[in-house]
Amino acid sequence: MPPHSDAGPVAGPPDGGWGWVVVFGAFISIGFAYAFPKGIAIFYKEIQDFFDTSYSEIAWVSSIMLATTYGAGPISSILVNRYGSRPVVILGGLLCGIGMVSAAFCTSIIQLYICVGFITGLGLALNLQPSVIIIGRYFLKRRPIANGLAMAGSPVMLCTLAPLNQFLFDNYGWRGSFLILGAILLHCCVAGALFRPISADKASVKTQSIEEGKEVLKEEVTKDVIEMNSPTNIRMETKTEEEEERDCCEKVNKYLDFSLFKHRGFLIYLIGNVLMFLGFFAPIVFLAPYAKHIGIDEYSAAFLLSILAIVDMVARPTTGIIANSKWVRPRIQYFFSFSIAFNGTCHLLCPLASGYTGLVIYSVFFGLAFGMVCAMLFETLMDLVGASRFTSAVGLVTIAECCTILLGPPIGGTLIDTFGDYKYMFIKCGAVMVLAGTFLFIMNYYNYRMLAKEEKKRKAKEEDTKPVRTENEGRNNWNKEHVQDGPELEPLREEQEGLKKEANGTNEV
């Protein structure tokens, strides 16, 4: 089966039209993919008491879910390249529903790891990457705005899920809540149905495929004839194993472009993001449990996530508009680095917050910083590698990030268990993110400098070769002008031919 039509650049991005419907579908699927692992933290305190587990053990539920969501990125990218975004997102919605319904019947924390962590996490992965990829297919000029609107699904969903989960728990318990959440996650299937693939005119595609098939058939027949008549046919048979290995590598590289590891900008982005995710998710996972720990009631603790989500909701599209401006777009990597460092600074100042008012202020600034980072997370990657290599880049980045995503919340939980205080977890996360932001700022400055030097060398090389090319073209034009067969040269040419005949006659005598 050939790759699906939205897996390659079959047609140009329309930058509108049905693309806005696709943005709405991505709003839903991306919203669930990002918000659900955070919103489910509302149940952690009660599940921890039910199974009699520690903070680090309960944190593994979100860690495994997040790590699976990011680590399954290459699988999702391969499936998108093969079948398109629509069927992959629908399959992801089904897996999310199955995982949460199964979790309602779990009798141990290990079973929760499997059902909520692995199965639901895989379903969320099949929602996240295809949604991001198909926006890149539909938009080019308006891509930052489209990405910002789609990413706004995360705060909207989180703002809704935080109080909803608390309401469901109060009325149905955590098992009944998981059953209802499984049904809600099936809406991802509806969102996936909106992801209509971009394709060129069917008639022209069919004609092109027929012509290509004829050319390939001619080439194969010609090769067979040459090989049959060639004396090196026996030597060619000994190379079949090497060719098979090469074909295997080419097939893998078709879906995951490992040549990106030679791309300087991609490597800088990868290292900075892997470091960032060590402290990115732990604060939001432990925010509601921390509020309950210091004596704040359940609904007020859940409302902190809603405050964060409301600010995040405004911050994402606003950041997308700012990032799309002519002043920021050429140096968007600096803006991204600042956002990460600002996020870390919020966590470093969180231990200074005393009481509910201080946590509300922290939630406002945290929501702003969180929205800024998320709005530019994929836009900066596409800015570095381009739309054609973006699918492979997302897969490679997410599988590299899953290790630190997996370890981040449990390390935070271990610090809470060890010291009995949440402030060390916030300090750790803040320090790591400030370090990541500083690294990205410095290395992006270096990358921009190197790109400017390379561009300068390229232009100088073109200017050096231009005079040589002009001289050769002038010489060729001069020869053409003097060799040109014009009517004014006819008498001279006839006289020259007569002299040649006389000379030949003399030689023959």
Side-chain angles (χ1 to χ4, degrees):
M1 183 178 178
H4 203 268
S5 57
D6 70 12
V10 178
D15 264 318
W18 187 262
W20 297 117
V21 180
V22 171
V23 169
F24 176 71
F27 176 91
I28 296 172
S29 55
I30 291 174
F32 277 121
Y34 278 124
F36 193 79
K38 306 160 197 169
I40 205 174
I42 296 294
F43 302 104
Y44 283 175
K45 187 70 177 173
E46 288 71 24
I47 294 175
Q48 182 181 354
D49 296 336
F50 184 86
F51 290 115
D52 192 23
T53 59
S54 64
Y55 285 101
S56 59
E57 287 176 324
I58 195 66
W60 279 105
V61 177
S62 279
S63 293
I64 294 171
M65 186 190 300
L66 289 165
T68 305
T69 301
Y70 280 80
I75 298 173
S76 181
S77 298
I78 290 171
L79 290 174
V80 170
N81 281 336
R82 186 69 175 170
Y83 302 107
S85 293
R86 178 185 281 172
V88 176
V89 174
I90 293 173
L91 175 62
L94 291 173
L95 286 175
C96 288
I98 292 169
M100 290 307 297
V101 170
S102 302
F105 301 96
C106 291
T107 56
S108 68
I109 194 70
I110 302 297
Q111 293 175 0
L112 278 179
Y113 292 161
I114 296 170
C115 295
V116 179
F118 286 110
I119 299 176
T120 307
L122 179 60
L124 294 177
L126 298 182
N127 275 272
L128 178 59
Q129 271 76 18
S131 304
V132 175
I133 290 167
I134 199 166
I135 288 175
R137 306 292 185 205
Y138 268 90
F139 291 91
L140 181 62
K141 293 180 181 178
R142 299 176 181 174
R143 193 176 64 217
I145 298 174
N147 275 325
L149 290 172
M151 290 294 179
S154 173
V156 171
M157 292 296 177
L158 182 58
C159 183
T160 307
L161 283 174
L164 176 64
N165 287 348
Q166 191 63 52
F167 172 80
L168 292 175
F169 174 76
D170 291 340
N171 289 275
Y172 305 103
W174 67 270
R175 293 187 185 275
S177 301
F178 280 11
L179 282 172
I180 296 171
L181 289 173
I184 291 174
L185 285 173
L186 290 174
H187 285 81
C188 293
C189 300
V190 180
L194 300 176
F195 291 171
R196 188 169 68 192
I198 295 179
S199 58
D201 184 66
K202 292 182 180 179
S204 62
V205 171
K206 284 182 179 180
T207 306
Q208 184 179 357
S209 61
I210 291 170
E211 293 296 327
E212 288 177 356
K214 288 179 179 179
E215 290 178 4
V216 170
L217 185 60
K218 287 179 182 178
E219 289 177 3
E220 289 179 354
V221 171
T222 307
K223 286 179 182 178
D224 290 340
V225 172
I226 292 171
E227 287 177 359
M228 290 174 66
N229 297 328
S230 175
T232 60
N233 192 30
I234 298 173
R235 275 182 289 169
M236 291 294 289
E237 292 178 358
T238 61
K239 296 182 181 180
T240 53
E241 294 182 1
E242 295 179 4
E243 289 176 355
E244 287 177 0
E245 291 178 1
R246 196 182 305 116
D247 290 341
C248 183
C249 293
E250 287 176 357
K251 285 180 181 178
V252 173
N253 203 49
K254 179 182 177 183
Y255 297 113
L256 291 174
D257 187 3
F258 289 100
S259 65
L260 283 166
F261 287 107
K262 298 178 181 178
H263 191 291
R264 184 174 58 245
F266 174 78
L267 289 175
I268 292 170
Y269 177 92
L270 182 65
I271 295 169
N273 275 36
V274 166
L275 184 61
M276 177 195 73
F277 276 108
L278 196 60
F280 191 63
F281 287 114
I284 201 168
V285 168
F286 286 109
L287 179 58
Y290 173 50
K292 294 178 183 179
H293 177 74
I294 62 176
I296 297 171
D297 64 276
E298 288 84 356
Y299 278 96
S300 297
F303 188 64
L304 289 174
L305 291 175
S306 297
I307 293 171
L308 186 152
I310 291 168
V311 178
D312 188 6
M313 191 188 313
V314 178
R316 295 195 188 210
T318 305
T319 302
I321 294 170
I322 294 171
N324 198 43
S325 66
K326 62 180 180 180
W327 300 282
V328 179
R329 185 73 183 266
R331 293 292 183 267
I332 194 173
Q333 304 297 333
Y334 290 147
F335 192 30
F336 182 58
S337 305
F338 166 77
S339 302
I340 295 172
F342 176 50
N343 202 316
T345 305
C346 293
H347 302 326
L348 288 173
L349 297 176
C350 180
L352 300 178
S354 58
Y356 188 68
T357 304
L359 286 178
V360 168
I361 296 172
Y362 165 72
S363 298
V364 169
F365 282 98
F366 183 19
L368 176 62
F370 194 86
M372 291 171 67
V373 172
C374 292
M376 293 185 289
L377 192 62
F378 293 108
E379 176 59 31
T380 48
L381 179 59
M382 193 175 289
D383 176 70
L384 288 169
V385 302
S388 60
R389 305 172 79 185
F390 180 67
T391 306
S392 294
V394 169
L396 294 172
V397 165
T398 50
I399 197 171
E401 291 169 347
C402 73
C403 298
T404 49
I405 291 171
L406 180 67
L407 295 175
I411 290 174
T414 302
L415 290 173
I416 297 169
D417 291 330
T418 304
F419 298 101
D421 197 338
Y422 281 79
K423 70 178 183 181
Y424 297 102
M425 183 272 300
F426 286 106
I427 291 171
K428 183 271 295 183
C429 294
V432 166
M433 294 199 69
V434 169
L435 179 63
T438 306
F439 169 83
L440 283 172
F441 190 90
I442 294 171
M443 294 307 296
N444 281 318
Y445 173 76
Y446 166 76
N447 188 38
Y448 280 132
R449 286 284 300 273
M450 293 300 295
L451 288 173
K453 286 182 180 179
E454 290 167 2
E455 182 69 15
K456 192 175 180 181
K457 287 181 181 178
R458 187 184 64 80
K459 287 182 179 179
K461 191 175 181 181
E462 287 180 357
E463 289 176 0
D464 291 340
T465 56
K466 192 174 180 180
V468 178
R469 196 183 308 121
T470 307
E471 185 179 345
N472 291 334
E473 289 175 357
R475 189 181 296 121
N476 292 334
N477 292 333
W478 186 87
N479 291 333
K480 286 179 182 178
E481 289 174 1
H482 288 75
V483 178
Q484 186 178 7
D485 294 336
E488 66 275 5
L489 299 179
E490 282 295 327
L492 294 174
R493 192 181 300 108
E494 290 176 358
E495 184 180 351
Q496 187 177 9
E497 288 178 358
L499 292 172
K500 284 183 180 179
K501 287 179 181 179
E502 290 179 4
N504 290 334
T506 307
N507 291 333
E508 285 175 1
V509 173

